[in-house]
Amino acid sequence: MTYDPTGHLLLTPIDKDAPARVQRLRELGLGERPDPAFDDFAHRLAEVTGAPFSMVNFIDENRQFFAGLHTPEGTHSGSDLGAAAAGGGVGRFMARDHGYCPHVVVRRKALVLEDVCDYPRFAGNPVVDEIGIRSYMGAPLIDRTGVALGTICVVDTDVRPWGRAGLETIKAMAAELVEQIHRREDGMF
């Protein structure tokens, strides 16, 4: 576990790769605006996993941006996720210290939390109390340059038994989206 100099547990990992990620996202033109193709991908991800919420998430030094977003309501506002959750909707932005995607990006490995409350490090995350998130599954989007651009993820307000099948699905779909990003970069999309 990571601690700050005063000895307090840091819930969000230190991300030394953020400057390189931001540069690469700018090169690719990602992480600044919603993208219908990513919304479609998030919708398909929700269908495949049976999750009510799914995202294509790009992360910079300060925030997370859902370039692709699927919600049960189909709402895709531009507001902050925490503030939107209080009003019943889900927005495109979330603070970097909220949620579990920053952990996936820093670890560069998929993460499955069938019940976030079973893990003390994750149970204290603001999304548990503010939004009601109880389960999470995400995988990193690592591009051809080796940069972890962000994640794809699914969340639920109920405990979900994702299992090994869920883990394999999220990893395969992350690889599929990375290939789509590469085709865009190559001008083939």
Side-chain angles (χ1 to χ4, degrees), residues 153-170:
C153 70
V154 293
V155 297
D156 201 333
T157 55
D158 294 320
V159 173
R160 294 288 301 262
W162 305 111
R164 179 157 295 287
L167 174 64
E168 295 306 319
T169 297
I170 198 90

Side-chain angles (χ1 to χ4, degrees), residues 10-159:
L10 295 175
L11 295 178
T12 305
I14 295 170
D15 184 1
K16 295 177 181 151
D17 295 332
R21 178 178 318 104
V22 170
Q23 179 180 346
R24 183 69 175 137
L25 288 171
R26 283 190 186 125
E27 289 171 8
L28 295 168
L30 300 174
E32 293 292 322
R33 63 189 170 281
D35 186 308
F38 292 153
D39 282 340
D40 291 344
F41 187 90
H43 178 73
R44 192 162 60 84
L45 179 60
E47 284 183 336
V48 168
T49 61
F53 300 92
S54 63
M55 297 89 165
V56 174
N57 185 9
F58 298 113
I59 302 172
D60 66 21
E61 291 113 325
N62 304 307
R63 68 177 187 174
Q64 302 176 67
F65 176 71
F66 304 128
L69 177 63
H70 171 83
T71 69
E73 301 85 23
T75 56
H76 303 279
S77 70
S79 63
D80 172 70
L81 182 59
V90 175
R92 295 277 182 174
F93 300 94
M94 189 163 69
R96 195 181 174 292
D97 64 349
H98 283 52
Y100 310 106
C101 290
H103 295 271
V104 171
V105 166
V106 170
R107 290 170 21 127
R108 303 172 60 87
K109 291 173 52 179
L111 177 64
V112 177
L113 303 170
E114 294 181 345
D115 183 348
V116 298
C117 294
D118 287 345
Y119 303 88
R121 178 177 190 158
F122 298 120
N125 194 286
V127 298
V128 175
D129 292 333
E130 292 175 18
I131 303 171
I133 300 302
R134 283 299 301 271
S135 62
Y136 169 91
M137 182 170 57
L141 299 170
I142 301 174
D143 81 343
R144 63 174 62 136
T145 68
V147 173
L149 303 171
T151 68
I152 61 168
C153 70
V154 293
V155 297
D156 201 333
T157 55
D158 294 320
V159 173

